[in-house]
């Protein structure tokens, strides 16, 4: 008897902000199984453009997580009211508004980073990941889930972006996080680097042949690196080969 | 399917809400952004006299920078024949706008920094890099020839190549102690590729960034040249 009663009471409505298995999957799926860059192959353009240094990649990732999460949230809240004929334009208005907010806030609170990113902030509007998630997810799901989906996809995008940027900055400039308070000089021809390739003694002598590779600084390098990421990812997860 | 009137109403309401929201945020943050921008530009200017500042620019707080401009820096505006224009402050002159005027009508900002009784003259220059504008500040001693420092910035040079004029601190270091005048003849400072033959007037370029470096040479030659009439006036 007691069992029957309990199931009846527990059944009806799940709380609005539940965080169960399904919700966790929304966050973790885009990191690997449904990664926006390596599996859905979206947002490649910005991944090529901003990844020459880690710091701007990091800031762009944060901005994309913010824009993706909140545009998903707002689109989902409005999903029953958005007229189907103009839904894409409505989505664009929502995305563009959020991007403008990011732009104003960065300009007011972190002017130097804003200066460095300049045009790329505006280009978040055209980031296919965001519009893709609105179309594919937010229009058909509840706000909380859509929000989590946005965060997850932003994270998945950021993960790849920072991975690419670390490789490009390290081999292109010999530094990591250049321009930020935690700037690290890893390898280069002076004593300010951890591995000093011009040194007379110590570990640096093993790397005396080393020179920064300017190719890594240029956008084509990101294309090779992303392609290699996709290759590795699909070797590790063969069932993704025919997904996209 | 929604009716046309519903769509129009929906879009009107949405755009009104969004426009209101954005204008509120914009105006709330506008002043803060303007202050940031002014300080950012000021840092670029005093970076040219970095060695003579109370502390390196990178370690100065925004308040320190503003304070330094209040107490130790005199702002002057010159016309192209070297006369002072009294009604203006140097920070009001936007070189990007000046470049659009005919050459003879342009105004020049000049910052005079005084430290320990010595005067340093900071000139602003602007030119073209590979992709877009480049600009910088060059400071000379009161002999109007010895360069004490320079700083450069750019709109969108290639990171790691042309952008090194700003990102690589050793590039602007190379300009120190160069001469812009040789026996009374104006030479400017050239950025050269390969070997520096005349170390008094030439600095080593950045490999892979030839066009940007040529842009820097041209910018310095022309930009510093504009200030010569004024310097000659003071000297005589």
């Amino acid at each position: 008897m007691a069992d029957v009663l309990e199931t009846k009471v527990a059944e009806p409505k799940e709380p609005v902000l539940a965080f169960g298995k399904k919700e966790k999957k929304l966050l973790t799926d885009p990191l690997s199984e449904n990664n926006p860059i390596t599996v859905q192959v979206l947002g490649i353009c910005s991944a090529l453009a901003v990844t020459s240094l880690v710091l701007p990649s990091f800031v762009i990732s944060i901005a994309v997580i913010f824009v993706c999460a909140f545009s998903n949230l707002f689109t989902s809240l409005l999903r029953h009211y958005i007229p189907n004929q103009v839904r894409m334009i409505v989505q664009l208005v929502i995305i563009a508004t959020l991007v403008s907010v990011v732009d104003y806030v960065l300009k007011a609170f972190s002017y130097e980073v804003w200066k460095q990113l300049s045009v790329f902030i505006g280009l978040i509007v055209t980031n296919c990941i965001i519009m893709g998630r609105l179309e594919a997810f937010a229009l058909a799901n509840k706000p909380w889930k859509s929000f989590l989906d946005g965060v997850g996809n932003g994270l998945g995008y950021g993960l790849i972006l920072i991975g690419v940027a670390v490789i490009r900055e390290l081999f292109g400039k010999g530094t990591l996080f250049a321009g930020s308070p935690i700037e690290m000089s890893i390898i280069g021809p002076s004593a300010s680097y951890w591995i000093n390739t011009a040194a007379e003694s110590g570990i640096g002598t093993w790397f005396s042949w080393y020179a920064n590779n300017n190719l890594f600084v240029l956008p084509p390098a990101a294309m090779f690196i992303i392609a290699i990421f996709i290759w590795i990812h699909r070797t590790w997860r063969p069932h993704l080969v025919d997904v996209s | 399917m929604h009716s046309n009137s519903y769509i129009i109403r929906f879009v009107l309401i949405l755009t009104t809400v969004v426009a209101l929201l954005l204008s509120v945020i914009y105006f709330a943050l506008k002043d803060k952004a303007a202050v940031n921008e002014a300080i950012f530009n000021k840092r670029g200017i005093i970076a040219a006299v970095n060695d003579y500042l109370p502390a390196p620019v990178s370690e100065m707080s925004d308040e320190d920078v503003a304070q330094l401009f209040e107490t130790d820096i005199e702002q002057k505006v010159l016309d192209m024949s070297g006369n002072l224009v009294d009604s203006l402050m140097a920070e009001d002159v936007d070189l990007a706008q000046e470049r659009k005027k005919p050459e003879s009508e342009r105004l020049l900002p000049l910052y005079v920094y005084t430290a320990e009784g010595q005067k340093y003259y900071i000139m602003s220059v602007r030119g073209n890099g590979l992709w877009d504008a480049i600009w910088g500040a060059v400071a000379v001693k009161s002999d109007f020839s010895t360069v004490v420092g320079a700083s450069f910035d750019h709109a969108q040079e290639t990171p790691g190549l042309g952008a090194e004029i700003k990102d690589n601190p050793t590039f602007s270091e190379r300009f120190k102690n160069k001469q812009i005048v040789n026996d009374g003849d104006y030479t400017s400072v050239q950025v050269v590729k390969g070997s520096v033959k005349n170390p008094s007037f030439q600095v080593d370029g950045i490999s892979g960034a030839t066009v940007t470096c040529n842009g820097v040479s041209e910018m310095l030659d022309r930009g510093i040249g504009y200030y010569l009439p004024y310097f000659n006036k003071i000297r005589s």
Side-chain angles (χ1 to χ4, degrees):
Chain A
M1 268 305 270
D3 281 344
V4 177
L5 263 180
E6 239 179 52
T7 45
K8 266 195 176 166
V9 175
E11 193 193 63
K13 212 169 147 193
E14 53 182 301
V16 184
L17 297 183
F19 194 83
K21 233 182 186 162
K22 262 192 228 156
E23 283 75 13
K24 202 176 151 206
K25 202 163 147 36
L26 286 175
L27 278 182
T28 53
D29 233 26
L31 296 184
S32 163
E33 293 302 298
N34 198 16
N35 189 289
I37 294 184
T38 61
V39 179
Q40 302 175 46
V41 198
L42 294 175
I44 297 293
C45 12
S46 55
L48 298 187
V50 299
T51 49
S52 65
L53 296 173
V54 179
L55 177 69
S57 316
F58 184 74
V59 176
I60 281 282
S61 304
I62 301 282
V64 168
I65 292 171
F66 170 81
V67 174
C68 201
F70 282 94
S71 60
N72 259 4
L73 175 69
F74 292 131
T75 308
S76 177
L77 283 171
L78 292 172
R79 70 189 186 281
H80 298 307
Y81 308 101
I82 298 175
N84 203 30
Q85 297 97 311
V86 293
R87 68 174 197 285
M88 288 228 164
I89 295 173
V90 171
Q91 288 163 8
L92 260 187
V93 170
I94 294 173
I95 298 170
T97 309
L98 289 164
V99 170
S100 306
V101 170
V102 170
D103 194 53
Y104 297 155
V105 168
L106 261 187
K107 194 175 179 185
F109 292 99
S110 185
Y111 189 83
E112 277 186 38
V113 174
W114 176 81
K115 194 100 186 156
Q116 221 175 352
L117 291 171
S118 59
V119 64
F120 297 122
I121 298 279
L123 285 180
I124 296 176
V125 176
T126 61
N127 192 324
C128 346
I129 292 170
I130 297 170
M131 195 113 172
R133 289 329 289 171
L134 297 186
E135 276 286 297
F137 199 92
L139 282 176
N141 285 282
K142 289 195 174 140
W144 172 238
K145 280 190 178 163
S146 303
F147 181 79
L148 290 177
D149 179 78
V151 174
N153 276 280
L155 284 173
Y157 169 81
L159 185 76
I160 301 294
L161 220 62
I162 290 172
V164 175
V166 164
I167 296 176
R168 286 184 67 187
E169 187 174 344
L170 186 60
F171 291 106
K173 281 193 76 177
T175 58
L176 283 178
F177 296 99
S180 74
I182 53 161
E183 175 165 353
M184 291 182 267
S185 304
I186 311 283
I187 184 165
S190 82
S192 59
Y193 293 91
W194 291 353
I195 301 174
N196 179 1
T197 54
E200 301 287 320
S201 61
I203 194 171
T205 51
W206 303 345
F207 291 96
S208 55
W209 48 269
Y210 180 86
N212 285 334
N213 189 336
N214 274 340
L215 175 66
F216 280 89
V217 170
L218 302 169
M223 200 145 94
F224 302 134
I225 297 170
I226 291 173
I228 292 169
F229 276 16
I230 293 178
W231 180 13
I232 295 172
H233 192 206
R234 288 181 189 199
T235 311
W236 174 48
R237 289 259 183 273
H239 66 276
L240 293 176
V241 170
D242 291 326
V243 168
S244 53
Chain B
M1 285 295 267
H2 292 278
S3 68
N4 284 345
S5 70
Y6 176 83
I7 295 176
I8 291 172
R9 262 183 293 142
F10 182 88
V11 170
L12 274 180
I13 294 172
L14 182 76
T15 41
T16 315
V17 170
V18 162
L20 272 176
L21 183 82
L22 281 183
S23 5
V24 168
I25 296 177
Y26 176 76
F27 278 102
L29 297 175
K30 198 175 108 187
D31 292 346
K32 206 165 156 56
V35 170
N36 278 340
E37 187 175 2
I39 293 285
F40 184 86
N41 292 339
K42 284 177 174 170
R43 280 181 191 273
I45 289 157
I46 56 175
V49 287
N50 203 14
D51 291 359
Y52 303 89
L53 295 173
V57 182
S58 51
E59 288 167 26
M60 287 171 83
S61 70
D62 290 355
E63 291 76 26
D64 292 344
V65 173
Q67 181 63 30
L68 189 87
F69 267 77
E70 287 287 308
T71 54
D72 297 334
I73 288 181
E74 205 184 328
Q75 301 195 20
K76 295 179 177 186
V77 177
L78 314 172
D79 64 16
M80 292 300 279
S81 41
N83 302 311
L84 283 175
V85 181
D86 287 331
S87 55
L88 286 170
M89 292 271 276
E91 64 189 39
D92 301 329
V93 178
D94 180 0
L95 276 187
Q97 295 302 319
E98 297 301 319
R99 279 194 85 198
K100 291 178 187 156
K101 296 183 191 170
E103 211 163 39
S104 59
E105 291 170 21
R106 291 182 195 168
L107 295 172
L108 304 167
L110 178 70
Y111 298 85
V112 185
Y113 173 60
T114 313
E116 291 164 12
Q118 278 285 335
K119 280 189 171 182
Y120 303 98
Y121 295 82
I122 310 173
M123 299 168 277
S124 300
V125 292
R126 193 177 176 96
N128 293 324
L130 174 59
W131 304 114
D132 204 337
I134 52 175
W135 57 92
V138 183
V140 290
K141 279 189 185 160
S142 48
D143 65 357
F144 301 117
S145 176
T146 313
V147 176
V148 295
S151 77
F152 298 100
D153 202 348
H154 59 90
Q156 40 178 318
E157 297 305 293
T158 318
L161 298 174
E164 292 289 285
I165 60 169
K166 175 186 177 223
D167 297 341
N168 189 343
T170 64
F171 181 71
S172 46
E173 289 282 322
R174 294 174 202 169
F175 287 85
K176 283 180 189 160
N177 298 318
K178 303 291 168 190
Q179 304 289 324
I180 56 170
V181 177
N182 178 23
D183 279 345
D185 294 330
Y186 174 56
T187 56
S188 178
V189 182
Q190 264 122 34
V191 183
V192 293
K193 206 177 165 183
S195 57
V196 172
K197 292 193 189 71
N198 196 334
S200 306
F201 315 105
Q202 294 180 333
V203 298
D204 197 7
I206 296 163
S207 54
T210 312
V211 178
T212 309
C213 287
N214 290 345
V216 173
S217 292
E218 187 277 335
M219 163 173 91
L220 292 176
D221 185 29
R222 189 174 39 79
I224 298 176
Y226 291 157
Y227 287 87
L228 293 178
Y230 175 73
F231 291 162
N232 289 334
K233 257 182 203 169
I234 302 192
R235 218 187 262 131
S236 55

